Amino acid sequence: MEICDLLKQTRIDLGLTQQGMVGEVMSVARYSRIESGEQRIKAEDLLELLESHNYDLGYFFTKMIYSRREEKEADWINIEFRVKSAFYDWNWEKMSFLKEQAANLTGKPALRIGSDLVAYLLDPDLKDHEQLKNEVSDYFFSLDNWMDDTEAIVVFAAAIQLMKFDIAYFWLSELLDKYQQIDNFSRDQQEAVGKACVSFCQRCRKEGIAKAAKEAIEVLGQLSPCPEFVAYRLLGKYYAGLFSRQDEEAERIKGILRESGLERFVDHFLL
């Protein structure tokens, strides 16, 4: 995939017209020539364009690298990103389509099962959840040590909503014991563990067992103070306020998350 093709796909993913994409970075006419492959884009213009939409530069260039190595890898990264987007936008129609796409990717069981789990979270009335439980069990049994695999931890985070509570509690405790002093670990590891903690807090809320969430909340507060972890840290504060009956504080944090563009996620997930 060439930069012109990736730029066009990025613009479509962002839901922007060419005018909306360029803003004041360059003229629409020039951008149109770049997107059609008639003209190359300067590196500084590309960076300014992506940064103007707060688009993850690392993600953009990772997609470019993988697309040059192997098209299937680019598909994997793209679908993974779209699955995450569909979840936070609480969009079942989009997720249903992505679930079918993920099922066609070979060699990526974590993405396929993860997509199935996200689909389950968006529509827990799905009739095949028993089959999904079996698929999740088979997946974890196939791994030597799933706690060393960030993809597996992300799958576990989603599976927490499907597991028996006692089992989820046991495995989360084991995971957090392994990842003590969480801010010493890599970004991917911190994000994966953070997802597991948030998911477990939500499960504790559903079960009415606030005490069990204490360690997960503490870990969310210990994530590195980086912009990409702000939502996780805020969710930790939300559950801390909720479980300690500081309702005003919990509502204040929900308001912040809504204003950050996560209103559909907040309205469905943080009931």
Side-chain angles (χ1 to χ4, degrees):
M1 182 183 292
E2 299 299 323
I3 286 182
C4 59
D5 300 318
L6 188 52
L7 263 178
K8 181 177 181 179
Q9 184 60 59
T10 299
R11 175 176 64 77
I12 292 171
D13 288 345
L14 292 171
L16 298 172
T17 62
Q18 289 189 344
Q19 177 66 68
M21 183 69 170
V22 300
E24 299 181 0
V25 176
M26 64 181 72
S27 69
V28 176
R30 182 183 165 208
Y31 176 79
S32 181
R33 290 194 297 274
I34 291 170
E35 198 175 90
S36 66
E38 298 174 21
Q39 181 177 335
R40 292 184 177 276
I41 187 172
K42 295 180 181 178
E44 56 267 31
D45 289 339
L46 174 61
L47 295 177
E48 186 178 355
L49 197 63
L50 295 174
E51 288 175 345
S52 68
H53 297 289
N54 295 315
Y55 197 85
D56 191 317
L57 301 180
Y59 174 64
F60 183 90
F61 289 110
T62 297
K63 285 203 297 183
M64 174 59 67
I65 291 169
Y66 274 116
S67 68
R68 290 179 182 275
R69 289 179 183 171
E70 186 179 355
E71 198 66 33
K72 287 185 178 179
E73 290 295 319
D75 290 342
W76 166 62
I77 292 173
N78 192 32
I79 292 175
E80 183 181 46
F81 179 77
R82 288 166 176 255
V83 165
K84 184 188 296 186
S85 175
F87 175 65
Y88 286 113
D89 192 37
W90 212 261
N91 190 323
W92 165 248
E93 183 177 344
K94 186 187 296 184
M95 188 61 237
S96 180
F97 171 71
L98 292 169
K99 185 172 178 287
E100 293 179 9
Q101 287 191 307
N104 294 325
L105 291 180
T106 57
K108 291 295 179 183
L111 177 57
R112 180 178 58 79
I113 295 172
S115 298
D116 288 346
L117 283 164
V118 171
Y120 168 80
L121 293 177
L122 295 184
D123 186 4
D125 293 328
L126 288 175
K127 303 302 181 183
D128 60 352
H129 62 276
E130 287 300 328
Q131 179 183 340
L132 182 54
K133 285 182 181 179
N134 294 331
E135 290 179 3
V136 170
S137 296
D138 291 344
Y139 169 70
F140 282 111
F141 276 124
S142 72
L143 302 174
D144 292 331
N145 189 346
W146 66 269
M147 292 187 190
D148 291 331
D149 186 334
T150 54
E151 288 184 5
I153 296 172
V154 172
V155 171
F156 169 68
I160 285 172
Q161 303 300 321
L162 191 68
M163 295 176 172
K164 290 183 177 179
F165 181 80
D166 289 347
I167 294 175
Y169 188 18
F170 172 79
W171 284 118
L172 183 81
S173 297
E174 293 290 304
L175 182 69
L176 298 187
D177 186 59
K178 179 179 179 65
Y179 287 91
Q180 293 181 38
Q181 296 182 315
I182 186 67
D183 59 331
N184 288 331
F185 290 90
S186 72
R187 170 187 169 177
D188 288 346
Q189 289 169 311
Q190 290 192 57
E191 182 175 15
V193 173
K195 286 179 179 177
C197 289
V198 169
S199 183
F200 186 72
C201 287
Q202 167 65 2
R203 184 67 187 276
C204 287
R205 187 201 63 78
K206 288 166 61 177
E207 301 289 340
I209 309 175
K211 186 181 296 185
K214 180 180 178 182
E215 188 176 5
I217 291 171
E218 289 176 352
V219 169
L220 288 168
Q222 293 164 4
L223 293 172
S224 295
C226 302
E228 52 265 47
F229 297 141
V230 168
Y232 295 102
R233 294 169 68 93
L234 280 173
L235 285 165
K237 290 181 179 294
Y238 165 76
Y239 283 111
L242 186 70
F243 293 148
S244 62
R245 298 186 178 180
Q246 298 178 24
D247 295 339
E248 289 187 8
E249 176 65 4
E251 286 300 319
R252 184 183 71 83
I253 294 172
K254 283 174 69 173
I256 293 172
L257 291 168
R258 282 195 185 98
E259 291 172 4
S260 300
L262 296 175
E263 57 267 45
R264 294 189 68 183
F265 168 76
V266 168
D267 292 340
H268 287 85
F269 203 68
L270 306 184
L271 301 177

